[in-house]
Amino acid sequence: MSNRHAVPFITPGVRVLLALAAAGLAVLAIRLVWGLGAVTNLNDQYPWGLWIGIDVATGVALAAGGFTTAFVAHVLHRHKYEVLVRPALLTAALGYTFVGLGVCVDLGRYYNIWHYFVPGLPNGNSALFEVGMCVCLYLTVLYIEFLPIVCERFLGRVNLPGALRALNGLVEGVLRVLQRTLDRVMTIFIILGVVLSCAHQSSLGTLMVIAPDKLHPLWFTTILPMQFLLSAFAVGLAMAIFESILASRSLKRPLEMDVLAPLARIIPFLLTIYFGSKLIDMVNRGSYRYLDDGSPQSVAWLVEVIVGVVLPWAILLTHRLRRRPGWLFSAAAMVVLGVALNRINVFIIGYKPLYADGPYVPAIPEIVLTVGFISILVLLYRAFVFIFPVLHDEGEVHHA
Amino acid sequence: MVTRRDFFKITGTAAGTAAVALAGVETAQARPALDPDRMGVLCDFTFCIGCRRCEYACAGENGLPQGALESYDDKSLLEKTRRPDRQTFTVINRYPALAGQSGSLDVKVNCLHCEHPACVSACPVSALVKNARGPVTYDASRCIGCRYCMVACPFQIPAYEYNEPLTPRVMKCTLCSDRILAEGGIPACVEICPAETMVYGTRDALLKVAHDRIRNHPGRYVDHVYGEYEAGGTSWLYLCDRSFQEVDLPAVANQSPAEVTEAIQHGIFRGFTGPLMVFILTSVILKSAGKGPGQAREDKHE
Ligand code: SF4
């Protein structure tokens, strides 16, 4: 398998990731045995912390590359972008899997999660119900979207060991039928993926609309759902560019600049709409009054907007810079960082409970678990790329 | 090769299937009607003597660490501003006398049992419900422990058992629902209070009593019944000699915060209009975008 790649699977970097992953799992074990109180700084004032703010809210936003690239390549028929769809799909599938895991770690009674499907219990008034339901359905869609890649990997190469060899033909046949069926219906799942993504990306913003007295006025607005959706569009494409360059570098493959640069042109346009909605709302609510009060929130807002919106916007609009991998990478990374910061601001830094004794600062184990989960995600991504034909141009062109 | 007819057949079927699959989402219920005779408690801070017997009775009633009655004579606790927590569903906080008046003010804090509770609206699995007779009750066996109710509560009341590894509960006043929903029962705190700080009765009647008191005792109260409109109205109603913000009750809007989120949820998901529109729009773009002028139409079959 690894002969398709110029680099070995295990590198010093991978070793570090493995260590971080192990530390994260150790925290998970402590959480399971001694409870949330043993590893988190959560309390009655701050019921949500790092795990909801980063593992869940930020995770969902950064996994938006799955539906945005699919939309551009398959719905708008810009087929040259297809090379980006598979890596983004893999990120989304892994990302959402970890969002689900992250939620379960944070849930006090994770073993009751199936109550989402018990007739009579689901509460349609709850934005959280809708987020959970859509994430669950979308995860299913993502797995289905990934199936053709699995088929492609094994078709014509099924080689079961020993006594199972007799089944080779059968498995081949099953795979072939599966592939043909998937090919016929895939369009539906692509559209469904777009629908479900729009639904839960926005509902994630609705979550905080229920806490008008707790969320800082710099972020609180009833159009938060719309802003979450708009920023998800932008960050989805930025993330696809970001990870494409990262993967190319790490796996020592040529950059896909001829697709990345034109795709990057769309981002300033999306950023403009997103930022426009933010500014208009800010003027509307008069919340700019909170900008120069020197509070941590005002600083966080400015960093979010300058680093995450204004700078990458300027870079990406400059034709010369956009075509340079270094600049393009920085700009994409800034958009990713900006949207991540936005989610962290809305869920953590901007959350100001009425009776707080002080700010919430994540406990070390909370950070270790989050870092550990991200490490596992990166390791799995690498493993999948080694095993499955995810990246473009691997000597075996995929004509699905 | 998928033909145009195929395409619309497949998308059509899928739209139907999606609608069914999403049916769980579209459970956006209308709010259950409240009983016109629903109960409430009128709590007059100016009567309270800070004896903390209500705390004692409450702990006993709810199986919380109670201690001996004498331990509640310790009045030093009154001086610091406490909040209800996982072991104390109600607390009394003392505030200094107003300038030129004698006697401090003792303020009882507990769940206000909103008329349109944000916690109930927020709970994804209906573990919190608003009883038509008044109480907002919690069913731990349904709870998934997401703590969204705590995020949603405009009064920041629900507490959590963070140190329970397996069966943590959301902890808050129940309005003694077990007692009051049975005929003739009254909440334990109301029952034990020696100062008649609290009156238990139908919310409508209590509102009348409250406004009568304000009218009949000019100068004793601010002209404001806290809970009449706050957060869409609450079952607990308060009377006070000073602005409620001075005794740390929040200045919340007269509309339940859930009103807005429910409007958003219903606006988008009622009859799946939102998702269905995105679905149709995406399908149409998908079908037409490929045929634009100058745009090489690639075979969907690849
Ligand atoms: S913690 Fe329990 S009661 Fe509170 S919203 Fe979540 S599921 Fe409902």
Side-chain angles (χ1 to χ4, degrees), chain A residues 301-313:
Chain A
W301 193 92
L302 286 171
V303 174
E304 172 199 324
V305 159
I306 294 173
V307 176
V309 181
V310 180
L311 288 180
W313 185 81

Side-chain angles (χ1 to χ4, degrees), chain A residues 77 106 111 121 126 207 355, chain B residues 122 126 147-148 166 248 266 286:
Chain A
H77 300 282
D106 192 78
Y111 48 83
L121 295 192
S126 166
L207 281 183
Y355 304 103
Chain B
S126 311
R147 309 185 299 285
Y148 189 32
L166 271 180
D248 295 319
H266 295 194
L286 192 149

Side-chain angles (χ1 to χ4, degrees), chain B residues 122-125 127-128 138 143-149 170:
Chain B
C123 180
V125 290
L128 286 156
Y138 168 69
C143 178
I144 59 172
C146 64
R147 309 185 299 285
Y148 189 32
C149 47
V170 170

